[in-house]
Amino acid sequence: MAVTDFFAGEIATELLKQLLVIARKSVSCRSSAEQLIAYIRDLLPIIEEIKLTGNELPQHRQRHLDNFSQTLSGGLELTNKVLSSPRWNFYRNIRLAQKMEKLEKNVSRFMEGPIQLHVLADVHHTRMDMAERFDQLNWKLGAMKIGVNGDGGCLGAAVKRVEEEERWCEDNLVNLGCTGLELGKMKVKEMLTGSDHSVVGIHGIGGIGKTTLAREICKDDQIRSHFRVFFLTVSQSPNMEQLKSRIREILLGRSSIVNDNSMELKFGFEVESSSRILLVLDDVWKQSVVEQLLVKAPGCKILVVSRLNFPPSVVDCSYELDLLSENEAMSLFCHFAFGQTSLPVGADEDLIKQVVSECGRLPLALKVIGASLKGQPEMSWTSAKSRLSRGQPLCESHEVQLLERMKMSIDNLSETERMCFLDLGAFPEDKRIPLHILISMWVELHDIPEEEAFAVLVQLSDKNLLTLVKDSRSGDKYSSYYEIYVYQHDVLRDLAIHLSNDGPVNSRRRLLMPRREAGLPRDWERNSDEPFNAQVISIHTGEMGEMDWLEIECPKTEVVVLNFSSSQYFLPPFLERMPRLRALILINHNAGNALLHNTAVFSNVTNLRSLWFEKISLPLLPATTTPLKKLQKVSLVLCDIKTVEHSVLGLPFLFPNLSELTLDHCINLTELPGSICEMPALTSLSVTNCDSLQALPAELGRLGSLEILRLSACPSLRGLPAGVGSLERLKYLDVSQCVNMGCLPDKIGGCRSLEKIDMRECPRVRSVPESVAFLHSLRRVVCDEEAAGLWKQLEKARPGLCQVPQECFTLDWLAE
């Protein structure tokens, strides 16, 4: 169950109606009914705001919502029994009154306890496929000018530009395409609201703005008042079972059906007018995919967004998004090339018009090529015009020519920037890429420091070759990479793959699979007799068994990205024959966690420096596993790590030089393994969004090198061990959203290097130890307004010590 299925349903509204009647008519249940009314009324504003989202929460968060949804459903049944019970049946009425009291307690625990705070806070962390607003970014990393009290430095300026461009695009929709987007918005709205069409389409060439138009329609007030909107990205290699399951959840909700679970069958239940649904299927590539996903239910309409114009047998009617007019194209290009919507004074008007004309009036091409020429000398503009003019006229059937034109946008990049851009093709389409992965990947591949990797990121962002997606709660000096993501337009990803696939397959620097397939590409198999010289290998498959892999030699491979979707996965045997392997990224896109097989390969990847596991049931490693002495970074995201304590190999033995350990949204993590305290090189320990974590090792103070301790959003954690006060090198402590955290350690004053504490949304912390007076390096405490008074004495000597952030529970971003 996704968050929208829970909140957008009519359960709470119907329950409220019943409770109002009970409060008037039933003496025995009146008190409970009145209290429940107060609770439900508190929920309703949140329900109204959250209706538009199509995003799903992680499984353990969904369980919270499942349980509470069942509570409300049971409450609805109970209120029906109360209203139908005759007054003379005293025994039955007493029993019902007792059940009403129990319902009140259950709802109270959700409303007043830590669960609601944690769920809502975690909702804020689940942003996918959207351009976020970056209000503050005070991140300092090494030599980069990004400081806590500064202006955000170059990365801050980059994300601020993203915000300004987003606002400009929203305010100038007409400038972006009066004949396209604005007219299209009006026409598609008419198709959806003023006709009997159940399936409506938007089609047009890649990069023309189809998804932008679809999202503008989703945000429209008239559409929002008419429909519950769900936005699903299908992509070029869709996971059909997951999509079908998601659509089934959206359409069925709590209603009954008269058929089986086959999505090809019609759902036979009535949907009230107040529950009308608009299902948006974005980035659809094949007619067969649409046909499998189409379902019919009263009140449900489907909007299909595709490069293809599907026949009337599939889509009732479709709007073709037109190219920009000449004036609109010029305005858009000038905005990104000159920072204004008209030609600058003294500019070569003919040359600029020729460049704009060669961009084919495509919004994406205008945006990217305009940004690539910004600040360039006239000679570069003349050269660009010549290179663009060598392409054939652009038309709907010649999308390869779009890629040829877009190639020019990376000609002005440095060699390192160009290589980093091409690396983005290693990740699946329509998926956010954690910045942690990119930075680690670029550092290992191109032998550059992290500071330079961030500078590259800024340059690519400034040239609109990628989009930064960030959680607004993060962004400070000590923000972790997994809080920031990179998103790339499909056409730009296609460009990266197009350029990477130049030349014979064995000599390519990157071996990339453009889309998910059942097995490895046939041209890899045909050329497997000779070694592959690729530095980067990216594989995207379903379930892989031992016999599904090829016997290939990859002596130069340094980064392997394994994307898959299954519950079982056999690690490729050829990993053992990669002597230069430095970064391994393993991402499971299945609904559940995957069990790994062939873990013996880890005995031979002795040069591995960075490891990323996502949605993996952490395996038991063989007793013969060789210590990974060069491994410095381990990130476990959405992993089941219950096997860690049962492993015969301790963490210090396996990872003797590990410096960064990240555990995010990990399942079944009730306490950290005590062996973590025996890792002397550990400088950063992040344990976030682990709702089962109850305790930290008592010997945590033995981590003498620890500089960052992040324990955000761990609601079951009640305190920190006393040993934390022995962490003399600790610079940053984050216990934000630890809603049951009782207090800070008495001896926290021993953290003489501590510069920042984040303790926002810690309502149970009502005092601070006297030893905080010895925190001479402390420069910032982020906390709620109520907690700011706890630091009053210390703030007298350090004005501005406390920072009270704006509430992070705004749900405006759900409109994306």
Side-chain angles (χ1 to χ4, degrees):
M1 172 191 256
V3 67
T4 47
D5 302 323
F6 161 63
F7 279 119
E10 305 304 318
I11 303 175
T13 302
E14 291 300 319
L15 181 57
L16 180 60
K17 292 177 182 179
Q18 300 280 58
L19 291 170
L20 289 170
V21 177
I22 292 173
R24 292 196 306 268
K25 294 184 176 182
S26 176
V27 177
S28 60
C29 298
R30 180 173 299 158
S31 176
S32 296
E34 289 175 347
Q35 186 60 58
L36 285 166
I37 288 170
Y39 290 144
I40 300 301
R41 281 177 172 166
D42 287 341
L43 271 177
L44 287 178
I46 300 173
I47 296 172
E48 290 303 313
E49 287 186 280
I50 208 167
K51 279 186 176 181
L52 186 60
T53 180
N55 296 337
E56 291 191 70
L57 293 176
Q59 295 172 3
H60 53 291
R61 289 286 178 256
Q62 293 174 22
R63 287 198 296 270
H64 289 315
L65 300 183
D66 281 336
N67 293 337
F68 191 66
S69 179
Q70 291 173 6
T71 298
L72 291 186
S73 296
L76 193 57
E77 295 178 6
L78 177 59
T79 55
N80 287 328
K81 292 179 181 179
V82 171
L83 290 175
S84 62
S85 178
R87 294 184 179 179
W88 53 264
N89 195 335
F90 298 109
Y91 176 75
R92 177 178 172 84
N93 289 335
I94 291 173
R95 291 292 303 275
L96 291 173
Q98 292 173 342
K99 291 183 179 181
M100 285 287 290
E101 290 176 0
K102 184 177 180 181
L103 174 63
E104 177 196 342
K105 291 179 181 179
N106 289 337
V107 175
S108 173
R109 277 195 289 268
F110 182 85
M111 295 295 295
E112 297 177 356
I115 296 178
Q116 184 196 28
L117 288 174
H118 195 50
V119 169
L120 290 178
D122 193 49
V123 167
H124 192 76
H125 288 273
T126 58
R127 309 177 181 201
M128 299 184 67
D129 307 331
M130 56 193 170
E132 295 279 336
R133 299 288 177 91
F134 300 101
D135 293 330
Q136 297 178 349
L137 187 63
N138 301 316
W139 191 350
K140 184 177 182 182
L141 181 60
M144 296 189 70
K145 290 183 62 178
I146 304 174
V148 173
N149 300 313
D151 60 359
C154 56
L155 187 56
V159 296
K160 184 177 181 180
R161 178 190 59 77
V162 171
E163 179 192 47
E164 291 173 350
E165 287 183 3
E166 179 185 357
R167 186 183 300 114
W168 185 87
C169 291
E170 289 177 351
D171 296 340
N172 295 272
L173 181 60
V174 173
N175 292 337
L176 293 180
C178 180
T179 58
L181 290 181
E182 188 66 18
L183 178 62
K185 183 177 178 180
M186 180 183 68
K187 292 288 188 182
V188 176
K189 281 174 57 180
E190 290 178 356
M191 295 177 187
L192 292 171
T193 60
S195 68
D196 295 330
H197 302 309
S198 59
V199 184
V200 174
I202 298 174
H203 68 277
I205 189 174
I208 201 170
K210 300 182 296 297
T211 299
T212 300
L213 173 56
R215 291 193 181 278
E216 285 296 325
I217 291 170
C218 291
K219 292 190 291 185
D220 183 79
D221 290 338
Q222 182 182 355
I223 292 294
R224 293 179 65 172
S225 64
H226 200 79
F227 297 103
R228 292 167 51 205
V229 183
F230 297 86
F231 197 101
L232 301 183
T233 302
V234 178
S235 80
Q236 198 171 357
S237 53
N239 186 319
M240 295 304 294
E241 290 306 314
Q242 284 190 19
L243 286 170
K244 289 179 180 180
S245 175
R246 178 72 181 112
I247 294 173
R248 186 181 296 118
E249 289 178 1
I250 291 171
L251 292 179
L252 299 186
R254 60 186 177 88
S255 304
S256 60
I257 57 174
V258 295
N259 55 29
D260 61 18
N261 288 332
S262 174
M263 294 306 299
E264 287 74 24
L265 300 178
K266 298 179 181 179
F267 293 94
F269 64 92
E270 293 296 325
V271 179
E272 298 177 2
S273 59
S274 61
S275 298
R276 286 174 293 197
I277 292 172
L278 174 61
L279 179 63
V280 182
L281 302 178
D282 184 44
D283 196 21
V284 180
W285 283 74
K286 295 180 180 180
Q287 180 174 330
S288 60
V289 171
V290 181
E291 291 172 340
Q292 292 182 65
L293 297 178
L294 292 184
V295 293
K296 293 184 179 180
C300 175
K301 293 199 175 184
I302 297 177
L303 178 60
V304 179
V305 184
S306 176
R307 299 184 184 188
L308 305 176
N309 183 13
F310 296 114
S313 60
V314 178
V315 175
D316 298 326
C317 58
S318 185
Y319 176 79
E320 181 177 6
L321 192 56
D322 200 2
L323 296 171
L324 301 181
S325 68
E326 292 182 5
N327 290 336
E328 293 157 358
M330 180 61 74
S331 295
L332 182 62
F333 181 85
C334 287
H335 172 74
F336 289 102
F338 307 113
Q340 60 188 59
T341 57
S342 58
L343 289 170
V345 177
D348 189 334
E349 182 175 349
D350 290 338
L351 176 60
I352 294 172
K353 285 185 175 180
Q354 289 175 355
V355 173
V356 171
S357 176
E358 293 296 342
C359 289
R361 292 186 289 156
L362 276 168
L364 180 63
L366 292 161
K367 178 179 177 180
V368 173
I369 294 175
S372 71
L373 292 173
K374 186 174 184 179
Q376 296 296 318
E378 184 175 347
M379 184 177 298
S380 297
W381 283 74
T382 303
S383 174
K385 187 262 296 184
S386 300
R387 293 196 301 272
L388 287 169
S389 64
R390 286 196 290 268
Q392 300 175 9
L394 192 65
C395 66
E396 184 175 353
S397 60
H398 292 157
E399 290 197 11
V400 172
Q401 299 306 318
L402 171 62
L403 299 181
E404 292 299 318
R405 280 170 166 75
M406 298 290 283
K407 281 174 62 175
M408 198 226 73
S409 64
I410 66 170
D411 287 347
N412 293 326
L413 298 177
S414 68
E415 181 63 18
T416 299
E417 291 168 351
R418 186 177 187 274
M419 291 297 101
C420 289
F421 169 77
L422 296 181
D423 292 337
L424 292 171
F427 298 94
E429 60 183 332
D430 299 317
K431 299 291 184 183
R432 59 182 183 176
I433 307 168
L435 189 58
H436 177 90
I437 291 180
L438 273 186
I439 295 298
S440 298
M441 183 174 176
W442 289 346
V443 167
E444 299 300 341
L445 276 175
H446 309 300
D447 296 321
I448 57 177
E450 288 187 337
E451 294 85 351
E452 185 176 344
F454 270 89
V456 169
L457 180 81
V458 171
Q459 289 298 317
L460 295 180
S461 175
D462 285 345
K463 296 181 184 299
N464 294 307
L465 293 171
L466 56 81
T467 301
L468 295 173
V469 181
K470 172 183 165 290
D471 182 341
S472 64
R473 286 182 53 84
S474 63
D476 56 52
K477 175 178 177 179
Y478 300 102
S479 291
S480 59
Y481 298 159
Y482 62 82
E483 293 170 326
I484 301 178
Y485 302 89
V486 170
Y487 181 80
Q488 191 173 40
H489 192 284
D490 283 351
V491 173
L492 293 172
R493 177 179 177 270
D494 290 344
L495 174 61
I497 294 175
H498 177 68
L499 297 177
S500 296
N501 287 344
D502 189 27
V505 64
N506 292 85
S507 60
R508 293 174 188 168
R509 190 168 184 174
R510 297 167 188 81
L511 278 181
L512 309 177
M513 292 179 63
R515 63 192 62 85
R516 183 167 60 93
E517 299 179 15
L520 299 181
R522 290 188 176 182
D523 59 341
W524 295 15
E525 183 177 1
R526 283 193 294 267
N527 293 276
S528 59
D529 292 340
E530 298 182 10
F532 292 91
N533 293 324
Q535 269 189 298
V536 180
I537 295 181
S538 175
I539 296 173
H540 196 182
T541 63
E543 181 174 334
M544 295 292 282
E546 182 177 4
M547 304 306 296
D548 296 321
W549 294 107
L550 298 175
E551 291 291 333
I552 58 177
E553 296 291 336
C554 307
K556 298 182 179 181
T557 300
E558 298 179 24
V559 174
V560 173
V561 183
L562 299 175
N563 289 282
F564 66 98
S565 181
S566 71
S567 58
Q568 305 281 334
Y569 194 74
F570 192 92
L571 291 170
F574 52 72
L575 289 177
E576 297 181 293
R577 298 188 293 278
M578 292 182 176
R580 297 188 183 181
L581 185 63
R582 301 160 85 178
L584 177 60
I585 301 160
L586 197 62
I587 302 178
N588 175 24
H589 299 282
N590 197 40
N593 289 58
L595 184 63
L596 294 184
H597 302 282
N598 193 31
T599 56
V601 297
F602 286 107
S603 295
N604 294 284
V605 288
T606 53
N607 284 316
L608 197 64
R609 298 185 185 183
S610 178
L611 183 64
W612 178 285
F613 275 8
E614 188 167 334
K615 272 194 174 181
I616 304 295
S617 293
L618 213 62
L620 288 171
L621 297 179
T624 56
T625 303
T626 304
L628 301 177
K629 295 182 179 180
K630 294 185 179 181
L631 190 65
Q632 296 178 353
K633 298 180 181 180
V634 172
S635 298
L636 306 176
V637 179
L638 287 164
C639 289
D640 184 347
I641 61 175
K642 62 185 177 183
T643 59
V644 171
E645 282 293 351
H646 302 291
S647 176
V648 296
L649 301 176
L651 294 177
F653 172 80
L654 286 173
F655 316 129
N657 297 306
L658 192 69
S659 61
E660 296 183 22
L661 176 61
T662 296
L663 307 174
D664 184 47
H665 283 98
C666 285
I667 304 169
N668 296 325
L669 180 64
T670 57
E671 59 181 345
L672 289 181
S675 57
I676 283 181
C677 303
E678 301 173 20
M679 305 178 76
L682 200 63
T683 60
S684 175
L685 175 60
S686 295
V687 186
T688 56
N689 299 293
C690 296
D691 58 346
S692 299
L693 181 67
Q694 298 176 1
L696 299 176
E699 302 298 320
L700 200 66
R702 295 173 59 185
L703 293 173
S705 300
L706 197 66
E707 298 180 3
I708 296 175
L709 178 58
R710 186 180 292 103
L711 303 165
S712 177
C714 295
S716 299
L717 189 64
R718 297 185 177 276
L720 302 178
V724 168
S726 302
L727 299 175
E728 296 186 357
R729 295 188 183 182
L730 189 68
K731 295 181 179 181
Y732 176 51
L733 174 63
D734 181 4
V735 291
S736 60
Q737 295 186 57
C738 291
V739 293
N740 278 311
M741 177 77 68
C743 61
L744 297 176
D746 289 337
K747 297 183 179 180
I748 195 171
C751 301
R752 61 184 66 185
S753 301
L754 192 60
E755 298 177 3
K756 180 173 179 179
I757 299 175
D758 190 341
M759 51 178 289
R760 75 190 88 181
E761 298 166 44
C762 295
R764 293 183 179 271
V765 178
R766 298 184 175 90
S767 63
V768 294
E770 294 181 0
S771 66
V772 298
F774 299 103
L775 296 176
H776 301 299
S777 298
L778 190 63
R779 294 294 178 266
R780 183 60 52 89
V781 175
V782 184
C783 59
D784 299 332
E785 188 171 358
E786 297 81 3
L790 304 178
W791 300 88
K792 190 175 299 182
Q793 292 298 321
L794 204 58
E795 195 168 22
K796 288 180 180 179
R798 305 172 203 177
L801 174 70
C802 288
Q803 175 185 347
V804 180
Q806 295 181 349
E807 284 193 7
C808 65
F809 290 132
T810 174
L811 301 176
D812 293 342
W813 58 270
L814 290 174
E816 294 292 328

